[in-house]
Amino acid sequence: MKKFLANYKNQLFISLMLIFIASILLQWVQISNKNLYLGYDWIFHYNRFYDAAQQIKDGNLQYFISMYGFSQSGRIINALYGPMFAYLNGLFLLISRSWFSYQLFSNFLITFLSASSMFWLLIKNKIRIPISLIFSIMYSSFYMIQSWTFNQSFGNWGAFILPLVVLAATRFLRESYSKKDLAFLAFVMTLAIQIHVLTVLFSVIILIPFFVFGFLHSKNKKTLFMYTFIAALATIFMTANVWYPLLEVNMENQLMRPAVVWNMENHAVRLDLFKPYKDFSLVVCLLFIGQFLAAIYSKMNILNRLTTITSFGLFALSSKVFPWNDITDKFPSISIIQFPGRLLLPAVVLIILALSLSMETILDNKGTRIDKRIIIYPILFLMLLGSVKGHMDYSNKELQNWKGTELFSSTKNVIFKTKDLESLRNSFKAKDLGAPFRLIKKRNSDYLPVADKSLAYDKDFHPYGKQKRTIIENPINEKLTKKVKNHQLVISWRSNGEETLLPLIIYNRTNVVVNGEQLDNAQIKTNEIGGLIVQPQKGENTVKISYKASFVFYYMLFISILSWFLFALWQIIRVLK
């Protein structure tokens, strides 16, 4: 047994098994109570995944418009928001067969992947296994990662990507930058873009200081620059299916932006002992304090110094110290970040690496007779216990919402079709995946095509009410029959011949066929948020909508698939050599 445990590869395997077990145990409250956690974003993202799942199930694939989710309204969502990852989650949902099973699996997955990627980052930077293991499980239990579990906050999927980004960044500091490093950087950035575009912004912020420092001190600047440029090109090719639809749809339509946060400082990290910012727990605070003290009292190598400076810089940007409101008044486009507190996540990834490096330096210092592990390991273990306890406390708090009269934590802009709590709870455990969306709907204006560009930036325009009257509570809904056939959304109803607002959203490339007649763009009439207005005939009426993607889109999709194939082939050949 001692020989087995002494083997480094066996230690790595055991560590991953412990991470696997810890990732399951962190879901124990949900496993034992069979509850769901439904936060402020569950309706939006679960609609996305439901739409993708039904497309796969029925074979009616439609890359752009929603034919099953979002009240079968034809809205463009997934094409602008990690389309391939949405289809992957749709596949997970079909395999899970209920929303309870899917949520349990996805919560485990983000926990396990986050811990594993952090473990890999630390191990690759020569941090000893016990420290790497403790920090990895600690990291995965933080609220900023588990916000997907509790709130379905999609940006938190970046929690498993950012440690890989930091690992790619540290490779800029090596004496020689290899093709292997090039491939890893391209893969990580492609992964970030395919999953969550905003994570790319945080990734670039991390990469810049490491690249600049590495470039200035590199003995082979030409190779470093060329390889980085090739990695960027490879990323562009492999993500053509993401960035091109974003460009095309935005250029051809005036889209409502995702919820604009006008007072960004209200969503920045605050240092408050009595009402702390959720992501900034006592344990997270101790990470920064510990590294601050280590920076003062211990020697730091170049990697540690650069990591520490970047981390504290991002921490400052995430807090109210930075004048976000003044900056966004002058540069409104910066409001895309929405919540400055999001910058705390990359800061924490960096501070864990920095503190781990400092601990390695302290442990390697043989200047004292005291075995420093006696001090460091218990402190780390206590911090781990504190972090896990915080997670369990919050899990039990959210459990009470499920058991109580609210069902979930945020009901703002939510519309319930029934007040029977048992029916609502059972809908999430039923095999009919569409059941929850027939009972619960939410006003949401993301990516609606408004009639005038100024409306998209008008503080006084309230699209939620328009969306509610057009789609959710449109009187015509009771008379409609909806089905999906041959990649088209088909709506039928009986009419007395009066002009009718249908719960369908029309974009520039949406094909509209009314009673067999194909309408061109000049004939299509819509309201302020793209809701279709038709003049029906008396009696039976049928409207069919589909989406005619441009030839360029299919070309870009082909380039993306081909690039992935060539990239994978290159890696196989490189490994076999």
Side-chain angles (χ1 to χ4, degrees):
M1 180 60 74
K2 287 184 179 181
K3 188 177 180 181
F4 177 82
L5 294 175
N7 185 281
Y8 187 72
K9 289 185 178 180
N10 292 339
Q11 291 176 18
L12 293 177
F13 175 76
I14 292 170
S15 297
L16 287 174
M17 288 300 100
L18 290 173
I19 287 173
F20 183 87
I21 293 168
S23 299
I24 294 174
L25 293 177
L26 285 172
Q27 319 309 322
W28 188 251
V29 172
Q30 187 173 24
I31 293 171
S32 58
N33 290 280
K34 294 182 172 56
N35 65 292
L36 275 86
Y37 302 117
L38 301 173
Y40 47 77
D41 264 351
W42 79 266
I43 297 179
F44 181 77
H45 293 298
Y46 282 11
N47 261 289
R48 292 176 56 220
F49 303 155
Y50 171 67
D51 186 74
Q54 291 301 112
Q55 285 188 36
I56 296 169
K57 180 182 178 182
D58 294 349
N60 276 303
L61 298 179
Q62 174 51 259
Y63 197 87
F64 285 87
I65 61 174
S66 301
M67 297 190 294
Y68 299 93
F70 299 96
S71 302
Q72 295 187 282
S73 59
R75 289 175 65 178
I76 296 179
I77 302 290
N78 279 340
L80 308 177
Y81 208 123
M84 292 306 177
F85 195 60
Y87 278 114
L88 180 62
N89 274 275
L91 186 60
F92 290 155
L93 178 57
L94 286 177
I95 295 170
S96 301
R97 300 179 67 185
S98 76
W99 285 106
F100 169 73
S101 299
Y102 164 76
Q103 187 181 90
L104 192 59
F105 173 73
S106 67
N107 293 349
F108 160 78
L109 190 64
I110 194 172
T111 305
F112 178 73
L113 291 177
S114 299
S116 299
S117 63
M118 177 58 74
F119 184 75
W120 193 16
L121 167 64
L122 299 179
I123 288 296
K124 286 294 181 179
N125 280 281
K126 299 179 180 179
I127 307 300
R128 61 194 68 195
I129 287 177
I131 293 176
S132 299
L133 180 61
I134 292 172
F135 269 130
S136 299
I137 297 173
M138 186 191 304
Y139 171 70
S140 69
S141 69
F142 287 157
Y143 181 85
M144 65 189 72
I145 285 83
Q146 295 298 329
S147 187
W148 166 257
T149 298
F150 300 124
N151 300 312
Q152 292 70 56
S153 177
F154 197 71
N156 296 94
W157 278 100
F160 90 86
I161 300 172
L162 289 176
L164 304 180
V165 172
V166 174
L167 179 57
T170 61
R171 294 183 175 187
F172 287 134
L173 305 184
R174 292 180 175 180
E175 290 186 7
S176 60
Y177 197 72
S178 67
K179 291 179 181 178
K180 182 180 178 181
D181 300 326
L182 178 164
F184 184 69
L185 176 61
F187 172 75
V188 169
M189 293 305 292
T190 297
L191 194 64
I193 294 172
Q194 291 286 355
I195 293 177
H196 190 244
V197 174
L198 193 58
T199 299
V200 181
L201 174 61
F202 301 153
S203 301
V204 171
I205 292 172
I206 290 170
L207 290 170
I208 286 174
F210 286 86
F211 173 77
V212 171
F213 189 92
F215 182 77
L216 292 175
H217 292 82
S218 176
K219 294 178 181 179
N220 199 339
K221 292 180 172 61
K222 184 179 178 181
T223 300
L224 177 59
F225 181 82
M226 184 178 69
Y227 280 6
T228 305
F229 180 72
I230 292 172
L233 280 180
T235 301
I236 290 171
F237 286 134
M238 289 193 290
T239 58
N241 69 299
V242 177
W243 57 260
Y244 181 75
L246 269 171
L247 288 176
E248 183 177 274
V249 175
N250 275 280
M251 289 174 67
E252 294 182 349
N253 303 271
Q254 304 298 335
L255 301 182
M256 283 297 302
R257 298 183 296 169
V260 179
V261 178
W262 299 110
N263 190 344
M264 292 182 69
E265 289 179 13
N266 275 353
H267 300 277
V269 175
R270 59 180 178 271
L271 304 177
D272 190 332
L273 294 176
F274 299 101
K275 194 178 180 182
Y277 190 78
K278 287 181 181 177
D279 289 354
F280 196 62
S281 64
L282 175 61
V283 176
V284 173
C285 181
L286 288 174
L287 292 175
F288 285 93
I289 293 173
Q291 180 56 14
F292 180 76
L293 294 174
I296 295 174
Y297 295 108
S298 67
K299 291 182 179 181
M300 298 169 64
N301 58 26
I302 292 172
L303 173 59
N304 199 350
R305 265 181 275 170
L306 187 57
T307 304
T308 302
I309 291 169
T310 307
S311 176
F312 276 96
L314 285 167
F315 174 62
L317 288 174
S318 74
S319 70
K320 291 192 174 184
V321 172
F322 192 78
W324 281 104
N325 289 349
D326 294 337
I327 298 296
T328 49
D329 285 343
K330 295 178 181 177
F331 307 100
S333 59
I334 292 177
S335 64
I336 190 176
I337 294 174
Q338 293 181 305
F339 313 118
R342 287 173 167 174
L343 290 163
L344 183 62
L345 176 56
V348 167
V349 174
L350 288 162
I351 206 67
I352 288 176
L353 174 59
L355 187 55
S356 299
L357 290 168
S358 296
M359 287 181 173
E360 280 296 325
T361 301
I362 293 169
L363 290 171
D364 287 340
N365 184 359
K366 307 298 183 181
T368 60
R369 295 181 180 178
I370 301 173
D371 187 347
K372 300 180 188 70
R373 290 178 297 179
I374 297 174
I375 301 172
I376 289 178
Y377 286 172
I379 291 174
L380 279 178
F381 190 69
L382 287 173
M383 290 175 68
L384 175 61
L385 289 178
S387 181
V388 170
K389 183 183 183 301
H391 170 75
M392 290 301 182
D393 288 347
Y394 204 85
S395 298
N396 283 304
K397 179 184 175 183
E398 290 299 304
L399 171 63
Q400 299 312 310
N401 288 325
W402 175 260
K403 289 183 174 180
T405 57
E406 290 294 324
L407 200 64
F408 42 94
S409 57
S410 176
T411 56
K412 186 179 180 181
N413 295 315
V414 176
I415 298 165
F416 293 92
K417 297 297 182 180
T418 178
K419 294 183 179 180
D420 183 359
L421 293 174
E422 201 58 35
S423 296
L424 292 171
R425 293 189 188 98
N426 290 337
S427 68
F428 290 94
K429 298 178 181 181
K431 291 183 180 180
D432 179 4
L433 299 174
F437 307 116
R438 292 192 291 272
L439 301 177
I440 308 170
K441 299 180 184 293
K442 186 176 183 179
R443 292 179 290 179
N444 175 279
S445 63
D446 290 13
Y447 314 122
L448 288 173
V450 292
D452 191 318
K453 182 178 181 179
S454 61
L455 289 177
Y457 296 88
D458 188 349
K459 293 182 181 180
D460 298 320
F461 178 59
H462 301 289
Y464 281 26
K466 292 280 184 183
Q467 187 253 358
K468 177 183 177 183
R469 290 187 291 273
T470 301
I471 298 175
I472 300 175
E473 295 186 353
N474 190 330
I476 196 68
N477 284 339
E478 297 178 2
K479 302 177 182 179
L480 296 179
T481 300
K482 296 181 181 180
K483 62 181 179 180
V484 180
K485 187 176 181 181
N486 297 326
H487 309 285
Q488 293 180 314
L489 180 57
V490 183
I491 291 184
S492 304
W493 80 103
R494 288 188 63 82
S495 173
N496 58 10
E498 292 183 355
E499 186 177 73
T500 305
L501 171 64
L502 293 175
L504 296 173
I505 302 300
I506 306 302
Y507 296 82
N508 183 62
R509 289 185 175 274
T510 303
N511 280 331
V512 180
V513 179
V514 180
N515 295 323
E517 180 186 354
Q518 173 83 48
L519 304 185
D520 59 36
N521 284 351
Q523 294 175 298
I524 295 173
K525 183 179 179 181
T526 61
N527 66 0
E528 288 179 299
I529 61 167
L532 179 62
I533 300 172
V534 297
Q535 180 61 59
Q537 62 191 15
K538 286 187 177 181
E540 290 292 335
N541 289 267
T542 301
V543 171
K544 299 178 181 179
I545 68 167
S546 57
Y547 194 87
K548 186 180 180 181
S550 68
F551 169 78
V552 181
F553 163 71
Y554 289 109
Y555 182 70
M556 291 295 179
L557 182 60
F558 173 76
I559 287 176
S560 179
I561 295 170
L562 179 63
S563 300
W564 269 103
F565 174 77
L566 293 175
F567 181 82
L569 185 63
W570 175 40
Q571 293 309 298
I572 292 170
I573 293 171
R574 188 181 60 80
V575 170
L576 293 177
K577 275 187 176 181

